[in-house]
Amino acid sequence: MTLTQTPSPLREGLRLQVMPEPCNMVIFGASGDLAHRKLLPALYNLALENYLPSGLNVIGFARRPKSNEEFAGDMRQAVDKFSRRSPVKPAVWDNFASRMQYNQSTFEDADGFTRLKALIEQNDKERGTCGNRLYYLSTPPSDYPIIIRQLGAAGLNKPGENGSWARIIIEKPFGHDLETAKELNHLVHDVFNEDQIYRIDHYLGKETVQNLFVFRFANGIFEPIWNRNYIDHVQITISESIGVEGRGAFYEQAGVVRDFIQNHLMQLLCCVAMEPPTTFDADRIRDEKIKVMQAIKPYHARLVDDYVVRGQYGRGWVGDQEVESYREEKDVKPDSVVDTYMAVKWTIDNWRWAGVPWFIRAGKRLPKRVTEIAIQFKAAPHLIFSNAQVPAHEPNILVLRIQPDEGISLRFGAKVPGPTLQARSVNMDFIYGSSFMTESPEAYETLILDCMLGEATLFTRSDEVETSWGILKPILDWWKDHGPPDTFPNYESGTWGPRRADGLIESEGRSWRRI
Ligand code: BG6
């Protein structure tokens, strides 16, 4: 099987119509967790679906010594373990593996980048990669600056020949706070132009997140009620039942704000709250997302403890499994005050959303894995039924389920069959799996392919990243200087987070959804 057959129906009808041009794709940190779990399985699945050009070369760049064959062997194991499609098809794999190369070097060693350049240029001549270069920074964020500088010093920031391209994908978190995000933007802009930079937030590559655009802007019926006149409040939940899964060292630096809130959660919020863009175009969409973030007033430091709740998981039970506390995880300090949970109430001060509270929560070691956006509508203005017939506290809720059980449901009151007039809430459900009978691609598949195609809509722009850090700055500053109001750990694994989070929403007469 060659890598250049007609695309399968999986992606037909989406914005992808064309095969990307051949390129050298260099993965920095190719021995790492992300490359194993996500990047290589994504590339293999793209190859399987015939979305990759035959002239694609994957070059692993990492510290450990390895031959090309050993690198391909490692990647095969990763694909066997983590690909959504298995077993691996030998013909597809052999073709793909023949295009894998390994460049052993530390990131500090300029010679390693000189060797990389020679390899890329040789591939351009001998393997038809046409001067196109795609760099993927899949390393700890502390390595980004040195890699970017070395790429610039070696002249690898420029494409190989006329009409070709050089692009760089930078993983989240982009910066550690507002200042470091600005520094990183500055540094990367010294070497690459903004249109070469693809800041990745894999949530934007999820089918259900992309569907938010379609749901809102391809249907006429929702837009008229998508505002403060009809919506009581919005809840966004990103809940994971897993803990830090061996990434204690990373998490000690990141915490939930840098891992989830600044990126995944803020993006979901923007997709729900933004104004309709004039066109479905990267910059028009990013402009609208930025306007949303600019309308979120950052909390004054003194208000942080009133409107933001932080938590850290203790021991407990998730399902039938007893799990250890965050402080007992590998590479975590036994007295760590790093947050693994955050809840916040935000308001978006513009004409559409004035007065509508947004309750946000995200955390690890909660009872189940679920990401959803719940839009709760205001009650009917005048009830002609008695409270016994139609309970007034049963609101209409539109739930956008990002994962799992991807879909959308609308909750409304319906008459219970029988001679008496009684109502009960029921759901009208759209379920992705049963409506389309097809498996969705992984977010990384969509995003890697988009980058190869030069399609930046699902990536974040420099000002977008800085604006979101700006909202979080007072929270992070306050947390850095002040201990948590509750003693950590303050929630048991397998529960819905600290009690203060309930207080945050209940003080308003509302409550978190019981998911
Ligand atoms: C990553 C976070 O960005 O997203 C992880 O670093 C988290 O902590 C993961 O587990 C969740 O992604 P998904 O696609 O499985 O929801």
Side-chain angles (χ1 to χ4, degrees), residues 28 88 134 221 234 247 305 325 408 422 437 445 451 511:
F28 291 95
V88 168
L134 169 54
I221 62 169
V234 181
R247 293 158 75 223
D305 279 339
S325 67
I408 297 175
Q422 291 274 311
M437 304 295 286
E445 294 171 37
C451 179
S511 55

Side-chain angles (χ1 to χ4, degrees), residues 238-242 318 363 365-370 494 496 515:
I238 301 186
S239 151
E240 287 195 307
S241 56
I242 54 170
V318 178
R365 284 279 187 241
L366 302 181
K368 53 164 80 161
R369 174 175 183 252
V370 54
W496 281 106
I515 300 172

Side-chain angles (χ1 to χ4, degrees), residues 206-217 219 400 407-408 430 432 436:
K206 288 183 189 284
E207 287 288 304
T208 39
V209 176
Q210 294 177 68
N211 187 46
L212 285 173
F213 294 120
V214 177
F215 182 76
R216 286 196 57 198
F217 306 131
N219 296 296
L400 308 159
I408 297 175
F430 150 64
Y432 251 86
F436 292 113

Side-chain angles (χ1 to χ4, degrees), residues 174-392:
F174 191 92
H176 189 72
D177 51 24
L178 179 58
E179 287 72 33
T180 48
K182 280 184 178 169
E183 278 166 25
L184 184 56
N185 268 333
H186 200 69
L187 187 144
V188 73
H189 284 150
D190 273 351
V191 178
F192 292 94
N193 298 324
E194 180 61 28
D195 64 4
Q196 294 180 283
I197 307 166
Y198 289 70
R199 296 175 193 78
I200 199 165
D201 179 328
H202 80 276
Y203 256 60
L204 283 176
K206 288 183 189 284
E207 287 288 304
T208 39
V209 176
Q210 294 177 68
N211 187 46
L212 285 173
F213 294 120
V214 177
F215 182 76
R216 286 196 57 198
F217 306 131
N219 296 296
I221 62 169
F222 302 108
E223 198 48 29
I225 56 169
W226 210 260
N227 57 50
R228 69 195 162 87
N229 297 325
Y230 297 92
I231 293 176
D232 175 75
H233 76 277
V234 181
Q235 292 185 24
I236 306 182
T237 303
I238 301 186
S239 151
E240 287 195 307
S241 56
I242 54 170
V244 295
E245 303 287 286
R247 293 158 75 223
F250 162 76
Y251 220 79
E252 281 285 274
Q253 296 299 315
V256 73
V257 177
R258 296 177 177 95
D259 197 33
F260 273 158
I261 308 280
Q262 182 268 332
N263 28 69
H264 304 331
L265 216 139
M266 202 62 94
Q267 288 297 329
L268 291 184
L269 183 148
C270 287
C271 293
V272 180
M274 68 195 260
E275 295 300 314
T278 44
T279 53
F280 192 65
D281 158 275
D283 275 329
R284 295 296 74 75
I285 287 179
R286 291 148 154 196
D287 290 345
E288 295 306 336
K289 286 198 282 178
I290 285 175
K291 285 187 209 159
V292 172
M293 291 191 263
Q294 286 167 339
I296 300 176
K297 217 182 285 146
Y299 283 120
H300 189 282
R302 281 196 311 276
L303 293 178
V304 166
D305 279 339
D306 294 338
Y307 293 107
V308 189
V309 175
R310 59 181 142 163
Q312 186 193 79
Y313 61 82
R315 292 176 148 249
W317 288 81
V318 178
D320 57 5
Q321 203 195 345
E322 188 172 17
V323 295
E324 55 190 7
S325 67
Y326 175 68
R327 288 176 175 183
E328 293 168 296
E329 300 270 10
K330 185 167 165 280
D331 299 328
V332 170
K333 285 205 241 101
D335 57 352
S336 171
V337 287
V338 167
D339 41 283
T340 60
Y341 174 97
M342 169 168 154
V344 58
K345 175 192 163 189
W346 271 319
T347 51
I348 301 172
D349 298 339
N350 61 18
W351 274 53
R352 185 185 287 268
W353 296 113
V356 177
W358 291 64
F359 296 100
I360 309 294
R361 57 180 168 167
K364 293 214 178 259
R365 284 279 187 241
L366 302 181
K368 53 164 80 161
R369 174 175 183 252
V370 54
T371 298
E372 65 154 50
I373 298 153
I375 295 162
Q376 184 164 320
F377 291 89
K378 292 184 172 169
H382 169 66
L383 260 195
I384 58 170
F385 306 105
S386 72
N387 197 33
Q389 292 171 318
V390 179

